[in-house]
Amino acid sequence: NTIRNYALAKDSGQAYRDTSFSTTDNLNHRFNMRLEAKLDSNNSLIYTPRITFQDISSVNSTAARNLIRNKILDSTLNNSNGSQKSFTMNQEILLRHKFHKKGRTISISTNFGLNGSEGNSAQIWIQHLFPKYPYPIYRSQQSTLSKNTWSIQNNIIYTEPLTEKAILSFSAGWNNSSSSTDNQAKRFNDTGIFLGIDSLLSNKFKSQTPSQYAGLGYAYNSEKSNFNANVNYQESSLLNDRTFPDSVGISKSFRNILPSLMWRYSFTEKNNLRIFYRTSANAPSIDQLQDVVNNSNPLQLSVGNKNLRQDYQHNFFVRYMGSGSDNSSYFFMLGGNASRYYIGNSSFVAGKDTLLDDIFIRRGSQLSRPINLDGQYSLRSFLMYSRPLGFIKSNLSTNASATFSRTPGMLNGKMNFAESPSLGGGIGLSSNISKAVDFTLSYNLNYTSVKNSLTSSQNNSYVSQILGAKLNLVLKERLVLNGDFSQNLYNGLSAGINTNFALLNLGMGYKFLKGKQAELRATVFDLLGQNTNISRSITETYTEDSRSNNLQRFFMLTFTYTLRVFKSGEKMEGMHQMSPGMRPMGWGGPPQN
């Protein structure tokens, strides 16, 4: 279930709702290998091949509607199915040579990647337009897609020692990547008669991004300090060529200076500071470049932009961690990023039936395309402190966090900045009373809000709270009991999304045979049958709340035999935490933006 509210300057009651059901089967085969060969005392070779095959099939049904002030503008029922086969291959070779002078080295690497996919899909729409047309509109479409990408990266690095602690490095590289797609959309009427190829939904497109770079680096390593600084000069091109439905070619060149640095300083053995800064230039993907309409949901259309340019990103990270003489520990992190030519979205929500760039948009529907914008940045911080409590053999920990994001976007031709601050905090008590008893209690609170510069009517905030408890018991050294409980509360989300649910997982295991090498375990997940998955997405044009059904109550019987047993020291014997991978989705709350 999805609820989306737009940040429109007028008609701020514009909203979108949908309910979808889908089934997806995904079969993967992955082959990985790493070969290290020491050719002689000065030369070594590393070869790392990776191959993946994937087969996906899906069936989807979506019922969606556009509304203004809770009155339905139009609605659609979309049934679709599709299949896709793909493969990915990467071959990386690294050759290293050490000269007789200590610290003087040369490394040459090549990384070749190849991936391709082929698939087909079929869709049937039944659309109602209120109150303009009293009868539903039927439409059918079949599509075939072929996509191929290859890339090659060649790098050479030479290092020269300046002193025992300082090294100068020179690097250069040549990279190239190429992507091509062939997408054909065939339209049919409600009786199944073929109407032809839809040129707005079909195209043949090829994109190449060759680049070269040269760089200089400096590294200094001492007992307390590790410092690295690099600066690269990069020249790159973006070559786009479309051959269907018409022939259009675009060529762009970019020149960037990309600095980076890393510094780690150890005040003592237990206290250290790390500072990291990096820049990068990132080319748009072929899906963002090809100007073919994606109409998988006729109420939410999207199209690429062949005129996109690279975005230039700055990333920084500061971390301080340490511990005190009383066995307390503390951790502080501050990070952020900012982009120039950020690839955001330009969205148009039609107040009436509109023809925009030869694309027909019905009243209430949306068309979005990627564009380059300035003014994007985000900040995030986290603080943690913990210390032991001797009187109950436990550890008390507290944490606090603060984030802020600013995302630009265009909505109906006007600039909008979505600003989203977030504050959070938590406290936890964990204990190892004995080898047979272990428990954890925790509470976490998070507050998030969103403010739109275009209109204040869609400004809102929400609060999430999670109260948790875990208990592990070992009885008579062979019987292991586990319990994992959390109470999840959300307030301030869209009507129909706010919820309060509890999750309870229970497990029981028994160890037997010599050395307790065998274990039989029974586990029940979500015993109360309340699990659900809630998320909030804050974008430059809308705020969206969604709730998805998860696999609720289920049982698992597991047999484990340990071939080799290591002594666990003071760790509680036979104690098992429930694997995060086994935990049903929805544990924790909405992701932070």
Side-chain angles (χ1 to χ4, degrees):
N1 297 295
T2 298
I3 299 175
R4 178 181 296 180
N5 296 302
Y6 293 98
L8 292 169
K10 61 179 180 178
D11 293 330
S12 57
Q14 176 90 27
Y16 168 83
R17 306 284 188 272
D18 77 29
T19 300
S20 63
F21 302 87
S22 63
T23 301
T24 302
D25 294 320
N26 190 340
L27 178 64
N28 286 273
H29 303 273
R30 292 183 291 271
F31 302 90
N32 303 282
M33 186 178 75
R34 179 181 174 89
L35 174 65
E36 297 186 21
K38 189 172 183 180
L39 305 179
D40 53 42
S41 59
N42 293 326
N43 297 281
S44 63
L45 177 70
I46 300 177
Y47 173 54
T48 311
R50 294 179 296 272
I51 301 176
T52 300
F53 296 95
Q54 191 174 41
D55 191 350
I56 303 175
S57 61
S58 62
V59 177
N60 179 274
S61 177
T62 300
R65 58 193 185 277
N66 286 315
L67 306 97
I68 285 186
R69 302 181 185 90
N70 293 322
K71 292 183 178 181
I72 298 178
L73 289 175
D74 53 4
S75 67
T76 183
L77 176 62
N78 180 13
N79 294 310
S80 64
N81 62 81
S83 62
Q84 179 176 301
K85 297 181 183 294
S86 63
F87 76 92
T88 302
M89 178 185 70
N90 284 93
Q91 308 283 327
E92 184 177 1
I93 300 175
L94 173 61
L95 179 63
R96 293 172 175 170
H97 174 74
K98 295 189 298 182
F99 294 91
H100 293 293
K101 184 177 181 179
K102 183 179 179 181
R104 180 181 292 170
T105 66
I106 187 169
S107 301
I108 301 174
S109 65
T110 295
N111 190 333
F112 178 74
L114 181 67
N115 63 72
S117 61
E118 291 185 352
N120 59 75
S121 63
Q123 295 176 281
I124 298 176
W125 294 272
I126 304 175
Q127 192 167 5
H128 293 265
L129 307 177
F130 304 100
K132 191 173 184 179
Y133 300 102
Y135 303 106
I137 299 172
Y138 296 87
R139 194 167 72 180
S140 176
Q141 175 182 310
Q142 295 180 10
S143 301
T144 59
L145 173 66
S146 176
K147 183 176 180 180
N148 295 282
T149 301
W150 65 265
S151 64
I152 187 169
Q153 298 177 342
N154 303 286
N155 302 283
I156 182 170
I157 300 175
Y158 174 81
T159 63
E160 179 68 27
L162 301 177
T163 66
E164 290 185 357
K165 298 180 180 180
I167 293 178
L168 191 66
S169 64
F170 304 90
S171 60
W174 171 81
N175 308 318
N176 194 11
S177 64
S178 176
S179 300
S180 62
T181 61
D182 185 354
N183 189 357
Q184 286 194 2
K186 304 175 182 178
R187 297 189 61 180
F188 299 83
N189 63 12
D190 56 342
T191 61
I193 297 176
F194 176 57
L195 301 178
I197 302 294
D198 193 325
S199 60
L200 282 176
L201 308 177
S202 307
N203 76 348
K204 290 184 180 181
F205 194 90
K206 184 176 181 180
S207 176
Q208 288 194 68
T209 54
S211 65
Q212 307 84 36
Y213 80 92
L216 180 66
Y218 174 80
Y220 178 86
N221 297 306
S222 66
E223 184 178 348
K224 285 193 171 185
S225 180
N226 302 94
F227 177 79
N228 288 274
N230 296 273
V231 59
N232 290 331
Y233 174 75
Q234 177 180 286
E235 289 188 354
S236 59
S237 300
L238 189 58
L239 311 175
N240 301 329
D241 185 19
R242 186 181 69 184
T243 58
F244 181 85
D246 51 16
S247 182
V248 178
I250 295 178
S251 176
K252 295 182 179 181
S253 297
F254 307 99
R255 294 176 177 84
N256 295 296
I257 297 177
L258 304 173
S260 66
L261 66 87
M262 190 280 291
W263 181 47
R264 186 180 187 274
Y265 185 80
S266 299
F267 298 94
T268 66
E269 291 184 357
K270 297 181 179 180
N271 298 270
N272 63 79
L273 172 70
R274 183 180 179 184
I275 299 175
F276 175 82
Y277 170 74
R278 181 175 66 90
T279 57
S280 61
N282 307 287
S285 68
I286 191 170
D287 293 325
Q288 294 173 319
L289 290 169
Q290 57 178 345
D291 52 349
V292 58
V293 178
N294 180 347
N295 67 339
S296 56
N297 183 341
L299 304 186
Q300 301 284 310
L301 303 174
S302 63
V303 64
N305 180 0
K306 62 180 182 294
N307 296 312
L308 286 176
R309 61 176 299 168
Q310 292 179 324
D311 73 333
Y312 188 93
Q313 293 188 5
H314 302 263
N315 293 272
F316 80 94
F317 175 84
V318 179
R319 185 196 71 186
Y320 181 81
M321 59 189 304
S323 59
S325 58
D326 57 353
N327 291 324
S328 62
S329 61
Y330 37 88
F331 175 91
F332 172 75
M333 184 275 291
L334 175 66
N337 70 78
S339 296
R340 186 183 182 191
Y341 306 120
Y342 167 76
I343 299 180
N345 281 310
S346 174
S347 298
F348 178 78
V349 181
K352 59 181 180 180
D353 290 356
T354 304
L355 188 66
L356 180 65
D357 296 334
D358 295 326
I359 303 172
F360 181 69
I361 312 167
R362 295 194 182 277
R363 180 189 179 202
S365 297
Q366 173 189 325
L367 174 68
S368 63
R369 74 175 77 230
I371 59 172
N372 293 111
L373 297 167
D374 287 331
Q376 182 275 337
Y377 65 87
S378 68
L379 296 169
R380 60 191 184 279
S381 63
F382 180 79
L383 175 66
M384 185 275 294
Y385 175 78
S386 66
R387 60 167 300 166
L389 301 177
F391 64 96
I392 56 171
K393 294 184 179 180
S394 63
N395 191 71
L396 179 68
S397 63
T398 59
N399 68 79
S401 64
T403 64
F404 181 85
S405 65
R406 185 175 188 260
T407 307
M410 297 289 293
L411 185 56
N412 284 17
K414 297 182 179 180
M415 179 66 74
N416 181 56
F417 289 95
E419 298 180 346
S420 178
S422 176
L423 297 172
I427 186 170
L429 182 68
S430 59
S431 175
N432 283 307
I433 296 177
S434 70
K435 292 183 179 181
V437 180
D438 179 22
F439 72 86
T440 301
L441 301 174
S442 63
Y443 172 76
N444 288 279
L445 172 71
N446 192 82
Y447 167 84
T448 301
S449 66
V450 58
K451 178 182 178 181
N452 294 284
S453 63
L454 192 59
T455 176
S456 61
S457 61
Q458 294 302 323
N459 296 347
N460 60 76
S461 60
Y462 76 96
V463 177
S464 66
Q465 302 176 73
I466 302 175
L467 179 66
K470 296 181 182 180
L471 177 64
N472 299 314
L473 298 175
V474 177
L475 305 178
K476 297 184 178 181
E477 297 186 350
R478 291 187 179 271
L479 184 64
V480 183
L481 304 178
N482 310 99
D484 192 341
F485 173 81
S486 73
Q487 185 72 43
N488 302 260
L489 302 94
Y490 301 95
N491 293 287
L493 300 178
S494 301
I497 293 293
N498 289 342
T499 190
N500 177 354
F501 63 92
L503 296 176
L504 177 61
N505 305 325
L506 297 176
M508 180 174 67
Y510 182 75
K511 290 182 171 292
F512 56 98
L513 297 183
K514 184 180 179 180
K516 306 174 190 175
Q517 288 180 270
E519 182 188 48
L520 188 64
R521 169 171 294 275
T523 307
V524 53
F525 294 89
D526 190 21
L527 179 64
L528 305 178
Q530 298 183 18
N531 191 25
T532 188
N533 184 27
I534 298 172
S535 67
R536 162 162 283 194
S537 299
I538 298 173
T539 76
E540 63 278 8
T541 55
Y542 61 81
T543 299
E544 180 180 281
D545 295 325
S546 65
R547 180 177 60 193
S548 303
N549 290 339
N550 288 309
L551 180 63
Q552 294 186 330
R553 185 187 302 113
F554 67 96
F555 301 84
M556 181 171 290
L557 184 66
T558 307
F559 173 75
T560 305
Y561 183 80
T562 305
L563 298 177
R564 191 176 181 183
V565 179
F566 295 90
K567 293 183 179 179
S568 58
E570 292 300 318
K571 189 66 179 175
M572 183 172 53
E573 188 177 26
M575 195 62 66
H576 282 262
Q577 299 289 339
M578 291 186 178
S579 170
M582 302 292 291
R583 179 177 294 171
M585 291 179 62
W587 194 282
Q592 302 306 310
N593 293 276

